[in-house]
Amino acid sequence: MNVTIVDYQSGNISSVINSFTEVAKGKVNLEVTSNINKIKSCDKIVLPGQGSFKSCIESLNRISGLVDTLKDFAIINKKPLLGICVGLQMFADTGYEEAETRGLGWIPGKVSKIDNQNGKFKLPHIGWNEIEIQKESKIFKNIKNKSHMYFVHSYEFIPEDKSVISATTDYSSKIVCSVERDNLFGTQFHPEKSDKIGLKLIDNFLRL
C-alpha cells in the first residue's frame, strides 16, 4: 500500500512525517511529495496544514493541478484521505482567517474564529484537551472516549451537516475536533503530537 503525505509548503510538517514514518514501518510505503502523478497513483492521502486557512489554500493553488487531483482522489474516486488541523478546515466551503477565502468545498460548512467570550478563553487554544467521541468512527477504533489530544488553533470548522461530526472538544463551546464522512477523515487536533493515542489513530488510518 502506498500512502502520500502531501507537502505543499504549508509550514513545518516534520512531526507529521516522523510520526507516520514511525507507525508505517513494515506496513505501508510512505512518500512525502507534491508530485501530481505520485498522488494520483497512491492508495491513501494525508493532508496536513499549518498556518492560516488563507495561506494553506493559496499554497495548494500554487501547485498546478493539485486541487483537482485531490478532489478526484477523495470525492470522485472516494479513496481515504485524512486532513490534519488546517488540512481538515480546508474541507469547508469558506474560511474567515485573515480574509474570506474559498475552501475546497468537500463538506459544506465554514471555518470561523473561536468565540473566546470576551477574553475568558485564551486564543489560540493550545495544549491537551479531552475529546468526546460522537459516533462510531474507523479512526477511533480502540481509542477510549474522553482521551486527551493535543490542539493548536484559533479557528473552528462548523459543518452544516452535524452527522459528519465524529468528536468534539469543550473549549468555550463544543468545538468540532474530528469529522468522518465515508472515505473523508479530518482531525482538528494533531495526532502526530498526541503521544501514543495519536499514534494509534494514525495506525487506524493506515490500516483502513
Side-chain angles (χ1 to χ4, degrees), residues 34-179:
S34 60
N35 181 287
I36 298 296
N37 290 325
K38 287 182 177 176
I39 292 170
K40 283 179 179 175
S41 64
C42 76
D43 301 298
K44 290 175 187 161
I45 282 176
V46 180
L47 183 65
Q50 295 228 136
S52 72
F53 185 99
K54 181 173 179 284
S55 67
C56 285
I57 287 288
E58 286 173 349
S59 295
L60 282 183
N61 284 323
R62 269 197 288 271
I63 299 171
S64 179
L66 181 55
V67 169
D68 287 338
T69 298
L70 292 173
K71 182 180 179 183
D72 286 346
F73 186 96
I75 306 303
I76 308 298
N77 297 321
K78 293 197 175 298
K79 291 183 180 180
L81 183 145
L82 172 65
I84 296 173
C85 197
V86 185
L88 154 67
Q89 293 180 2
M90 291 190 295
F91 293 178
D93 297 314
T94 312
Y96 294 95
E97 190 171 1
E98 292 185 29
E100 185 174 330
T101 306
R102 193 169 151 199
L104 296 171
W106 295 349
I107 295 180
K110 63 182 180 179
V111 176
S112 301
K113 194 165 192 175
I114 296 168
D115 177 8
N116 70 354
Q117 298 182 25
N118 295 319
K120 188 177 170 188
F121 290 85
K122 287 182 181 175
L123 291 181
H125 167 213
I126 297 179
W128 295 88
N129 209 345
E130 190 177 88
I131 66 163
E132 197 167 318
I133 297 172
Q134 301 294 319
K135 67 174 183 178
E136 192 174 328
S137 166
K138 294 168 189 166
I139 61 170
F140 287 130
K141 186 179 179 185
N142 295 325
I143 291 175
K144 289 180 180 175
N145 191 27
K146 311 281 190 185
S147 291
H148 285 76
M149 299 294 194
Y150 191 83
F151 291 83
V152 184
H153 66 122
S154 297
Y155 284 74
E156 60 174 323
F157 175 42
I158 304 169
E160 290 177 10
D161 177 7
K162 303 308 179 195
S163 73
V164 304
I165 300 169
S166 53
T168 58
T169 193
D170 211 349
Y171 194 79
S172 169
S173 64
K174 291 279 186 190
I175 289 173
V176 175
C177 68
S178 179
V179 301

